[in-house]
Amino acid sequence: MTLHLKKAELHCHLEGAAPPALTEAQARKYNIDISAYLRGGAYVWHDFASFLECYDKVSEVYKTDEDYALLTETYLQELAEIGTIYSELIVSPDHGKRIGLGADAYIAGVCEGIRRAKAKSGIEARLIVTGERHFGPESVIGAAEYAAKAGNPLITGFNLAGEERMGRVADYARAFDIARDAGLGLTIHAGEVCGAFSVSDALDVVRPSRIGHGVRAIEDADLVKRLADLGTVLEVCPGSNIALNVFPDFAAHPLRKLKETGVRVTISSDDPPFFHTSLKREYELASDAFGFNDSEINALTRTAIEAAFVDEATRVALLARL
Ligand code: ADE
Ligand code: ZN
């Protein structure tokens, strides 16, 4: 049992955290037929491409700033109830544009949800703006420009998510340059669907302090050593990796091996209800599937806070709460 442990999460896509019951209620409210993507209380997909499609369809039932405030508050409250003190949410202002809400109203709704959750439970949260590879480099540059110019103190990072098999990291370098110049923290999905080369590409081109997943670095021993030497933090999402068949089972998952080789690792839930997981379950897996004891699990949480995209005063305050 890990309920007594304080927790932190660096890698969760906001719409990917939408509880199925809330998505069903939203679909009813807007008279949208979601039955092809949500049945029997579970999201319906069968591989990475169909997961991304399902994710986009589910996102379409969240339409207003108030819908986003409710979604954000609901997820952060769920985290706070299991002892989570810090959460970074991956958000896509592009999505706000696509549904006609607009990027500013989308972010305003999310920030209102953060404010409400913090008032209730004290949970601290920050936003990582993401570009989606499958919408192409121009759209990713647009997301970076938005994050850079937003002047919103809760937007502290930039990410690249979506279809990892589309293009190479170099195609998206300009977006990361914009985000770096604006002082945003950098992280990037790599080594999830594609192999070790995508992690090498990310290190060469983006020079991020963190990598989303990164677990397929395990296919290249020199690369694992490079990650350890650089101190790059991996946002590892074991339940997601098994659900997406990146590894056949937890016994084959490299979380423990990466940690023992000196790589700085953390644990997150990615898109929890899509992958039949939760941050609570990821912490339980750390104990039950990977055999970490309480002090080792606390060390993962400490690493997450050390790598969090927050100002130093907030980091010190969070570390003091551990
Ligand atoms: N978007 C939402 N979840 C994702 C994942 N696991 N990989 C890449 N893009 C995503
Ligand atoms: Zn992700």
Side-chain angles (χ1 to χ4, degrees):
M1 276 312 233
T2 57
L3 254 186
H4 59 292
L5 301 177
K6 293 275 199 310
K7 300 175 180 68
E9 179 165 68
L10 297 184
H11 188 125
C12 181
H13 301 258
L14 176 59
E15 291 88 349
L22 183 60
T23 298
E24 256 160 13
Q26 290 285 126
R28 268 196 307 277
K29 181 165 93 175
Y30 293 118
N31 209 11
I32 295 171
D33 179 9
I34 191 81
S35 60
Y37 301 97
L38 173 52
R39 236 171 289 139
Y43 294 123
V44 180
W45 56 272
H46 58 273
D47 59 11
F48 186 63
S50 68
F51 156 69
L52 289 176
E53 181 185 328
C54 180
Y55 182 101
D56 283 339
K57 291 294 176 190
V58 166
S59 303
E60 283 172 16
V61 308
Y62 295 87
K63 289 194 174 297
T64 66
D65 50 351
E66 181 50 37
D67 292 345
Y68 273 95
L70 176 63
L71 171 57
T72 306
E73 182 187 357
T74 302
Y75 183 61
L76 292 178
Q77 275 305 108
E78 177 191 321
L79 289 187
E81 277 160 24
I82 59 152
T84 309
I85 59 171
Y86 182 68
S87 153
E88 278 178 22
L89 296 170
I90 302 169
V91 293
S92 173
D94 242 20
H95 169 68
K97 271 192 223 152
R98 272 197 306 280
I99 58 172
L101 171 63
D104 288 342
Y106 168 90
I107 292 292
V110 175
C111 290
E112 171 61 15
I114 291 177
R115 194 197 58 73
R116 288 180 197 166
K118 187 171 180 181
K120 279 191 184 146
S121 67
I123 189 167
E124 196 71 63
R126 296 292 184 273
L127 301 176
I128 301 181
V129 165
T130 195
E132 303 280 350
R133 278 171 101 120
H134 50 285
F135 297 139
E138 284 311 311
S139 133
V140 177
I141 287 172
E145 281 172 343
Y146 180 83
K149 287 185 193 145
N152 182 329
L154 294 181
I155 296 178
T156 55
F158 184 71
N159 199 336
L160 179 61
E163 179 50 85
E164 202 177 313
R165 293 165 290 197
M166 200 171 145
R168 294 289 291 261
V169 179
D171 303 331
Y172 303 89
R174 171 95 192 104
F176 282 99
D177 291 343
I178 292 166
R180 190 183 305 102
D181 288 349
L184 295 169
L186 303 183
T187 179
I188 172 169
H189 283 65
E192 179 193 24
V193 179
C194 293
F197 77 88
S198 67
V199 177
S200 302
D201 277 4
L203 293 179
D204 292 342
V205 175
V206 177
R207 307 187 307 280
S209 61
R210 303 182 349 206
I211 287 182
H213 302 285
V215 281
R216 288 189 59 188
I218 202 70
E219 295 162 13
D220 177 343
D222 290 342
L223 177 60
V224 173
K225 184 168 182 319
R226 186 177 175 201
L227 286 169
D229 290 347
L230 286 169
T232 310
V233 170
L234 299 189
E235 304 154 7
V236 182
C237 308
S240 159
N241 294 156
I242 303 310
L244 285 169
N245 213 15
V246 176
F247 303 100
D249 52 35
F250 290 111
H253 193 284
L255 175 64
R256 182 170 265 286
K257 185 151 183 234
L258 287 163
K259 183 164 190 305
E260 283 170 356
T261 320
V263 179
R264 300 177 74 201
V265 291
T266 62
I267 47 172
S268 291
S269 67
D270 206 9
D271 304 280
F274 285 81
F275 301 143
H276 305 288
T277 193
S278 61
L279 188 62
K280 177 169 178 273
R281 176 168 177 259
E282 297 300 323
Y283 269 76
E284 276 160 10
L285 287 168
S287 163
D288 301 346
F290 295 102
F292 292 124
N293 63 31
D294 279 6
S295 100
E296 289 172 315
I297 295 174
N298 280 333
L300 302 179
T301 307
R302 178 167 291 273
T303 300
I305 294 189
E306 285 167 359
F309 295 150
V310 285
D311 57 276
E312 290 314 307
T314 305
R315 193 187 320 284
V316 168
L318 288 168
L319 285 171
R321 286 173 71 186
L322 274 192

